[in-house]
Amino acid sequence: MRPMEEEREKNSKKNRDGSGKNKKEWKQVVGGFVPKFIKRDGADTKSRTVQMVDTIEDYKRVVVDEQDQIVVVRFFAPWCKSCKAAHPHFKKMVSEHSPSVKFVEVPLTKDTAYIHEGLGVPSVPFGHIYSPHVGLVEEMKINKKVFREFRQALESYVSGSCDLRNEEEVDDGFQ
């Protein structure tokens, strides 16, 4: 027998007699088992950092009534290719700023279309930034091309400062 086959046979015997790995560490899928190393302690990290909102009451409670944190809202559609392309950028932003910033997603479905329309969301993907005690302070398209601008806007609110252009850069016609 080859060394790899010997190891496989040894592991197979361990699993049969109950001395092998705990079944909770493996997930059964079509064609076999895969390790559950992505989830730790059964907690899904996304559910803790991004809230899904699908009613106007939830939107008011989670976003508008927030008095302690900056809130970033991502309006998207599950079928939208541009939304899917920008999603990794959004996830990265969540991992960088959570838990100091609250992140919310509002999907576009037939049941939630009234929320998008009522908030004046012109297209997807679209984003809002809400500041505590002020309300909506930024709204912009957040596709992959312009996501950097959205990230910079959020970072300026998180840091509490903004970049001003030099006088030479401003050409207002007066000299």
Side-chain angles (χ1 to χ4, degrees):
M1 244 189 237
R2 294 182 182 161
M4 195 163 187
E5 291 172 355
E6 288 174 5
E7 186 69 26
R8 189 178 299 142
E9 182 66 29
K10 188 173 23 171
N11 288 337
S12 176
K13 285 180 185 175
K14 280 183 184 177
N15 288 335
R16 276 184 275 177
D17 66 18
S19 62
K21 297 265 185 188
N22 187 348
K23 286 184 177 182
K24 291 181 181 178
E25 294 179 15
W26 295 88
K27 178 181 177 184
Q28 187 172 6
V29 295
V30 176
F33 293 86
V34 294
K36 291 184 179 179
F37 59 86
I38 294 177
K39 286 188 177 182
R40 293 185 177 92
D41 299 329
D44 182 9
T45 56
K46 185 178 182 210
S47 67
R48 286 184 288 155
T49 55
V50 179
Q51 290 183 273
M52 193 69 70
V53 169
D54 56 1
T55 66
I56 196 71
E57 293 82 16
D58 287 345
Y59 190 87
K60 182 180 182 326
R61 181 179 47 77
V62 172
V63 178
V64 178
D65 293 342
E66 177 61 51
Q67 297 297 313
D68 301 323
Q69 292 179 294
I70 293 173
V71 181
V72 174
V73 183
R74 174 180 175 249
F75 298 93
F76 73 100
W79 43 263
C80 169
K81 288 182 181 179
S82 185
C83 298
K84 290 177 184 178
H87 186 66
H89 299 283
F90 182 74
K91 284 185 358 184
K92 183 177 180 187
M93 190 169 63
V94 169
S95 68
E96 291 172 350
H97 294 288
S98 189
S100 62
V101 175
K102 184 188 280 189
F103 291 91
V104 176
E105 289 184 317
V106 182
L108 175 60
T109 64
K110 69 178 187 171
D111 297 329
T112 62
Y114 74 96
I115 298 173
H116 288 244
E117 186 177 342
L119 293 169
V121 175
S123 62
V124 290
F126 203 76
H128 283 177
I129 300 175
Y130 289 81
S131 183
H133 308 292
V134 177
L136 180 63
V137 291
E138 290 285 340
E139 57 181 354
M140 64 179 71
K141 190 149 184 68
I142 55 171
N143 61 21
K144 189 176 174 182
K145 278 185 186 176
V146 296
F147 201 87
R148 194 171 121 230
E149 295 171 20
F150 187 74
R151 177 189 300 271
Q152 289 171 343
L154 174 61
E155 288 172 358
S156 72
Y157 287 105
V158 169
S159 68
S161 65
C162 62
D163 294 330
L164 297 175
R165 296 185 293 182
N166 293 333
E167 289 181 28
E168 296 93 35
E169 293 176 9
V170 179
D171 183 23
D172 58 4
F174 297 104
Q175 293 186 5

